[in-house]
Amino acid sequence: MEEGDTHSAANTITCKAAVVYGPGQPLVIQDVLVDPPKKMEVRIRILYTSICHTDLGAWLGTNEAQRAYPRILGHEASGVVESVGEGVTELKAGDHAVPIFNGECGSCDYCKSDKTNLCEKYRVNPLKSVMVNDGKCRFRSKEGGKPIFHFLNTSTFSEYTVLDSACVVKIDPTAPLRQMALLSCCIATGVGAVCNTAKVQPGSTVAVFGLGAVGLAVVEGARSRGASKIIGVDVNPDKLTKGQTMGVTHFVNPKELEKPVHEVIREMTGGGVEYSFECAGNLDVVREAFLSTHDGWGLTVVLGVHATPAMLPLHPMELFDGRRIVGSVFGDFKGKSQLPRLAQDCMRGVSEH
């Protein structure tokens, strides 16, 4: 998309968007109406956006809770602020910005706590399909003006989108927006899982299950933290080269093994890795990641998005061996207050936090 003229906050904008009308149905590129931002809201022109596994899950309807149609998907993006609503003071038209699905109001008990990056009102919520301010949509069909629902606080598969200001991060105007789009999901999630959630220590051993965008971000985080052994696990042999470029020291393809992955990893590491990261959204992979860690002190971080209903494939007694398992949302980054620093670090080629 090309950056163009801005519009008055009083105007409704007509633009192109990719609209999905039901589970598994084709994305329809059509004209939509995007209403002006209301109190504590921001309208952004999206310049770059990408497809995430979470978008695919919502599109396929693998999660019943996410079935509100028609809707505009997308949550990994970057763009320029077009206009702001009443009460928004930290953003203005022309600011470079990144939308985030896990917002930060800065004033609730959750935002004030150093124990969580969730926000009481603006946290990631797959059930949410309207704006917080009035419970209505800011997207409408051009023909008939029927509401089009939002997705994950963001809806970036549109040339313009309206977000709660708590879900918009102002970034350095010199930052390359094309690369900064990845901060809104995969890089923050992967790097943050290593640095904030697991707090991987220098010399540690790490296994990363799934070398997609999030998995590769985990690899980068582990490399920057000085991990001595980073084992990449993926069924796609083409991921070997990409993984090695990012810092993978050993590669395991489950399709080429005659025994479970966790047994191979235990043999490679003398009992198991200290940290494993599940980035595939697969319950069988969750179990292999868990069992690949060392008993007594191994930690597994779950990052993959899983279909509903789904239960952890573990027996409670297995936790008594000292292995732990946790989830991580947005890499435990507080979006508005901490993401700008990550953006600056990425510009300098640094990702350690």
Side-chain angles (χ1 to χ4, degrees), residues 200-211:
V200 170
Q201 300 299 307
S204 300
T205 53
V206 172
V208 184
F209 288 74
L211 296 178

Side-chain angles (χ1 to χ4, degrees), residues 10-334:
N11 293 337
T12 292
I13 294 175
T14 300
C15 69
K16 297 292 185 182
V19 182
V20 61
Y21 284 85
Q25 293 188 20
L27 295 174
V28 179
I29 306 298
Q30 65 181 69
D31 286 334
V32 299
L33 303 178
V34 185
D35 289 332
K38 295 192 176 182
K39 185 176 181 179
M40 299 307 295
E41 294 175 359
V42 179
R43 188 162 60 184
I44 294 178
R45 181 165 192 180
I46 298 296
L47 299 181
Y48 299 95
T49 189
S50 58
I51 297 176
C52 176
H53 188 264
T54 306
D55 301 312
L56 295 177
W59 172 60
L60 293 172
T62 54
N63 189 332
E64 290 287 343
Q66 297 178 353
R67 293 191 179 187
Y69 297 99
R71 72 190 313 178
I72 297 174
L73 304 178
H75 67 280
E76 191 167 58
S78 62
V80 176
V81 173
E82 178 270 338
S83 58
V84 300
E86 177 188 350
V88 178
T89 59
E90 78 279 14
L91 293 157
K92 64 182 186 302
D95 283 344
H96 287 196
V98 169
I100 53 174
F101 58 85
N102 193 51
E104 180 188 357
C105 73
S107 59
C108 70
D109 289 343
Y110 292 84
C111 287
K112 291 178 180 178
S113 171
D114 60 1
K115 296 179 175 64
T116 182
N117 69 331
L118 298 179
C119 175
E120 183 175 8
K121 186 182 292 187
Y122 300 103
R123 69 176 67 186
V124 57
N125 180 4
L127 291 171
K128 179 186 174 187
S129 56
V130 293
M131 300 302 292
V132 169
N133 186 43
D134 58 5
K136 297 180 180 180
C137 300
R138 299 294 177 265
F139 298 110
R140 292 178 289 127
S141 62
K142 187 175 181 181
E143 301 297 330
K146 295 181 179 180
I148 300 174
F149 293 101
H150 297 251
F151 174 69
L152 281 185
N153 293 325
T154 49
S155 292
T156 62
F157 289 176
S158 175
E159 291 180 307
Y160 288 88
T161 187
V162 176
L163 306 91
D164 297 298
S165 62
C167 297
V168 182
V169 179
K170 179 180 177 180
I171 61 172
D172 190 322
T174 64
L177 282 174
R178 181 177 181 180
Q179 288 83 355
M180 292 299 106
L182 300 178
L183 288 181
S184 60
C185 185
C186 67
I187 290 181
T189 298
V191 172
V194 173
C195 302
N196 302 328
T197 308
K199 295 180 173 61
V200 170
Q201 300 299 307
S204 300
T205 53
V206 172
V208 184
F209 288 74
L211 296 178
V214 171
L216 291 175
V218 170
V219 171
E220 166 61 18
R223 182 202 60 76
S224 72
R225 297 280 287 192
S228 62
K229 183 175 290 186
I230 304 174
I231 303 170
V233 182
D234 204 294
V235 296
N236 184 350
D238 294 337
K239 296 295 182 67
L240 170 60
T241 301
K242 293 181 180 178
Q244 288 177 329
T245 300
M246 299 298 291
V248 167
T249 60
H250 300 74
F251 183 79
V252 175
N253 186 339
K255 290 185 175 180
E256 299 175 352
L257 303 180
E258 296 180 355
K259 61 177 67 175
V261 175
H262 75 268
E263 292 185 12
V264 173
I265 290 179
R266 287 184 186 181
E267 292 172 359
M268 294 170 62
T269 56
V273 293
E274 292 161 276
Y275 306 94
S276 70
F277 297 84
E278 184 275 325
C279 311
N282 182 296
L283 288 179
D284 292 333
V285 175
V286 170
R287 180 161 182 82
E288 286 300 307
F290 177 75
L291 294 176
S292 74
T293 61
H294 204 293
D295 65 330
W297 56 77
L299 173 65
T300 298
V301 180
V302 177
L303 300 173
V305 176
H306 295 261
T308 299
M311 304 295 287
L312 281 174
L314 307 173
H315 191 286
M317 296 302 293
E318 291 182 292
L319 298 173
F320 285 14
D321 282 332
R323 295 185 178 93
R324 296 173 294 141
I325 184 168
V326 299
S328 178
V329 175
F330 202 57
D332 279 328
F333 277 113
K334 289 182 180 287

